[in-house]
């Protein structure tokens, strides 16, 4: 285990121990006919808690859970481990073919995306993505035909106008980050180096019509922690200034602006507003203190409004409740938008924040497995609570009409009474009403990280 930690794989994060395939799932309500595709979600699921890395939430082998919806039916549910060489060996299988960057063959556990008719499990920090088949079998690691000169990224952002997929890749052995662009056909068309000191972690970024927005924040590679045996040796670094980089999508020039020290895992959205740039994020006061996840304060939903000409940044609090996993209508990525969705999940905070004294002073309902819909125009929120033991995951929006919130919010929710999970489908326009449909899965789905709706 990582020095100074105990296993986080308890409660909602307790791993499942087998792969399951089930057909013609039971449904309460009616699945909208326009939902034709797969809802997939990735997350860490070590094969055994004795595995190296099982002491750190970010290091468990990835497992992808998926439900296929079509013609008002839930055709199947599958869960499959991402098979890197180590997982393949543990399962008694032959390793899948594919390239490896700097010996970093990792069973990608952070996100799962669709691109050019293909499916990829992704992770950051120097490892390559793994390609999955339609039914979630592992095909092999992928560098897009040699287009990636190194590893890839956990988070990507698709420009809805161009169909280009943008990412920011980082690796402790580089003196730069890489801005990578992949076209709709799956071809790497751009790899631009952006010099940064101290090898900082860059979990996410933002995209606008004019800029790629990079977060250069005080969590950097720590040789000290690496020598102590930490398998994820990134730590809060007071000596590293916090700044945001606005990379021109036209020229590649970078405009750096300083911000108050903080940490950001996830972007809600960003957009150009006249001469300014608006960036909405889930923001922590600190994170990775002494290379630990469980120190550094609680997150809030915040907005940066950046003036590139003056370098001035205004910081606004959008919601002071602790929340994570922000998503929105991705047809509005990089454009002005009104609605966002987040989750406040008890088991996430009991794992990530147990040492934070603030938790003791918060009421139970703060983390009562709640999904939140934000109306950023009105500055209001709607909350939908699922109760203890629900293990609410990331809410994913799927559009069905032209209006921004004309669509559905999909989320895995643990059904404590059944001891198994449901795929809950909510109307975005009736967020606190009864679910449109609830798909009853045959097994528990542990809490994980990120997922996608991949249209059929």
């Amino acid at each position: 285990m990582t020095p100074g930690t105990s296993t986080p794989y308890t409660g909602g994060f307790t791993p499942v121990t087998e792969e399951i395939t089930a057909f013609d799932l039971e449904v309460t309500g009616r699945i909208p006919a326009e939902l034709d595709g797969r809802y997939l979600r990735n997350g860490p699921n070590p094969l055994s808690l004795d595995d190296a890395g099982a002491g750190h939430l970010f290091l468990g082998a990835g497992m992808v859970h998926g439900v296929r919806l079509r013609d008002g039916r839930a055709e199947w549910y599958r869960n499959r481990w991402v098979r890197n060489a180590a997982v393949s060996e543990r399962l008694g299988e032959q390793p899948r073919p594919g390239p490896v960057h700097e010996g970093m063959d990792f069973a990608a556990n952070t996100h799962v995306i669709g691109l050019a008719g293909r499916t990829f499990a992704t992770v950051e920090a120097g490892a390559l993505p793994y390609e999955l088949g339609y039914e979630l079998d592992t095909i092999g690691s992928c560098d897009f035909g040699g287009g990636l000169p190194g590893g890839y990224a956990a988070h990507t952002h698709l420009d809805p106008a161009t169909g280009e997929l943008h990412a920011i890749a980082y690796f402790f052995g580089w003196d730069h980050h890489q801005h990578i662009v992949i076209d709709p056909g799956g071809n790497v068309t751009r790899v631009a180096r952006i010099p940064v000191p101290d090898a900082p972690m860059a979990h996410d970024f933002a995209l606008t019509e004019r800029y790629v927005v990079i977060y250069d924040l005080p969590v950097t590679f720590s040789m000290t922690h690496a020598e102590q045996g930490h398998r994820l040796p990134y730590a809060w670094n007071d000596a590293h200034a916090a700044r945001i980089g606005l990379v021109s999508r036209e020229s590649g020039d970078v405009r750096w602006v300083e911000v108050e020290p903080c940490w950001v895992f996830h972007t809600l959205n960003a957009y150009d507003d006249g001469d300014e740039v608006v960036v909405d994020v889930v923001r922590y006061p600190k994170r990775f203190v002494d290379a630990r996840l469980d120190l550094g304060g609680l997150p809030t939903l915040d907005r940066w409004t950046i003036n590139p000409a003056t370098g001035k940044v205004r910081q606004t609090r959008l919601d002071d409740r602790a929340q994570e996993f922000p998503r929105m209508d991705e047809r509005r990525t990089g454009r002005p938008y009104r609605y966002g969705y987040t989750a406040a999940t008890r088991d996430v905070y009991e794992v990530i924040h147990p040492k934070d004294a603030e938790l003791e002073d918060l009421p139970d309902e703060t983390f009562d497995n709640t999904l939140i819909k934000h109306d950023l125009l009105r500055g209001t929120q709607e909350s939908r609570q699922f109760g203890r033991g629900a293990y609410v995951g990331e809410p994913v929006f799927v559009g069905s009409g032209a209006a921004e919130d004309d669509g559905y919010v999909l989320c895995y929710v643990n059904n404590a009474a059944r001891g198994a999970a449901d795929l809950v489908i909510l109307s975005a326009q009736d967020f606190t009403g009864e679910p449109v449909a609830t798909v009853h899965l045959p097994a528990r789905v542990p809490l994980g990280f990120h997922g996608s709706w991949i249209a059929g």
Side-chain angles (χ1 to χ4, degrees):
M1 291 186 180
T2 301
T5 67
S6 58
T7 179
Y9 292 101
T10 60
F13 286 100
T14 302
V16 294
T17 59
E18 60 182 343
E19 297 177 327
I20 293 173
T21 303
F23 299 97
D24 295 323
L25 308 175
E26 180 185 352
V27 177
T28 298
R30 298 186 65 180
I31 297 172
E34 60 265 38
L35 289 180
D36 179 3
R38 295 171 298 158
Y39 174 65
L40 309 181
R41 202 223 63 203
N42 202 352
N45 194 104
L47 280 76
S48 165
L49 293 184
D50 295 328
D51 288 348
H56 198 298
L57 187 63
F58 290 178
L59 297 176
M63 174 178 275
V64 176
H65 300 258
V67 176
R68 176 61 162 112
L69 304 180
R70 178 162 43 194
D71 297 330
R73 297 171 48 241
E75 290 188 344
W76 53 253
Y77 162 79
R78 287 179 165 85
N79 64 318
R80 297 291 187 270
W81 273 289
V82 178
R83 284 154 164 79
N84 69 338
V87 171
S88 296
E89 181 180 2
R90 286 286 302 276
L91 295 175
E93 301 172 2
Q94 290 296 313
R96 272 58 172 175
V100 175
H101 173 236
E102 295 288 345
M104 300 186 69
D105 180 25
F106 187 77
N109 67 6
T110 311
H111 207 341
V112 55
I113 62 172
L115 174 65
R118 301 158 71 184
T119 306
F120 298 94
T122 66
V123 71
E124 64 197 84
L128 290 165
Y130 261 81
E131 184 173 1
L132 309 179
Y134 192 84
E135 296 180 345
L136 308 184
D137 53 301
T138 300
I139 295 172
S141 59
C142 175
D143 63 3
F144 297 100
L148 295 180
Y152 196 49
H155 285 280
T156 59
H157 293 291
L158 183 76
D159 186 321
T162 66
E164 294 175 323
L165 190 71
H166 293 252
I168 297 294
Y170 73 96
F171 175 57
F172 75 89
W174 295 344
D175 61 359
H176 61 276
H177 290 339
Q178 292 180 352
H179 171 216
I180 298 168
V181 180
I182 301 178
D183 71 15
N187 305 298
V188 177
T189 59
R190 179 180 176 84
V191 179
R193 293 188 175 193
I194 302 162
V196 289
D198 302 331
M201 178 183 283
H203 184 73
D204 199 0
F205 68 105
L207 190 69
T208 77
E209 292 181 88
R210 294 200 309 251
Y211 298 105
V212 176
V213 184
I214 297 177
Y215 314 137
D216 180 12
L217 303 175
V219 174
T220 63
F221 180 78
S222 170
M223 183 57 70
T224 298
H225 288 91
E227 291 172 346
Q228 292 173 352
H230 288 258
R231 292 192 62 223
L232 191 67
Y234 287 84
W236 183 264
N237 180 359
D238 284 317
H240 186 89
R243 59 182 188 163
I244 298 173
L246 302 178
V247 183
S248 169
R249 292 179 58 179
E250 181 177 354
S251 68
D253 295 339
V254 186
R255 173 69 161 102
W256 293 103
V257 298
E258 293 188 2
V259 293
E260 179 183 339
C262 64
W263 173 249
V264 170
F265 277 122
H266 300 124
T267 304
L268 176 54
N269 195 23
Y271 58 91
D272 303 314
D273 185 12
D275 293 333
E276 295 185 318
V277 180
V278 175
V279 186
D280 294 340
V281 296
V282 173
R283 179 184 174 277
Y284 294 75
K286 289 185 177 182
R287 208 77 244 155
F288 296 97
V289 177
D290 195 27
R292 298 171 66 116
L293 273 179
D294 55 0
L295 294 170
L298 296 173
T300 50
L301 186 63
D302 288 3
R303 168 169 290 177
W304 285 313
T305 304
I306 305 166
N307 187 317
T310 65
K312 300 293 184 182
V313 180
R314 299 194 309 275
Q315 183 174 304
T316 307
R317 182 65 39 85
L318 300 177
D319 191 358
D320 59 6
R321 286 177 290 182
Q323 56 202 283
E324 256 294 0
F325 300 119
R327 297 296 291 263
M328 39 73 71
D329 180 353
E330 293 178 358
R331 299 173 299 180
R332 305 299 306 167
T333 295
R335 278 73 180 166
Y337 73 119
R338 179 172 178 176
Y339 300 106
Y341 306 87
T342 58
T345 304
R346 174 172 295 276
D347 286 62
V348 171
Y349 293 100
E350 289 181 349
V351 167
I352 297 180
H353 303 279
K355 305 299 183 185
D356 287 320
E358 301 101 306
L359 285 175
E360 299 176 2
D361 301 324
L362 294 172
D364 285 348
E365 59 267 22
T366 302
F367 303 117
D368 196 18
N369 292 299
T370 301
L371 295 183
I372 305 169
K373 178 183 178 180
H374 298 270
D375 185 332
L376 300 169
L377 179 63
R378 294 182 176 177
T380 60
Q381 299 88 28
E382 296 178 81
S383 297
R384 183 187 187 91
Q385 295 182 328
F386 288 88
R388 290 290 186 96
Y391 311 155
V392 172
E394 176 188 61
V396 172
F397 177 86
V398 183
S400 62
E404 185 182 332
D405 70 339
D406 188 357
Y408 306 97
V409 177
L410 277 59
C411 182
Y412 287 133
V413 178
N414 185 59
N415 186 319
R418 294 198 308 114
D422 294 327
L423 173 58
V424 176
I425 303 173
L426 304 174
S427 166
Q429 295 181 341
D430 185 20
F431 191 69
T432 60
E434 286 298 309
V436 174
T438 302
V439 180
H440 304 292
L441 308 185
R444 188 171 54 83
V445 176
L447 280 169
F449 295 144
H450 305 290
S452 298
W453 171 255
I454 302 176

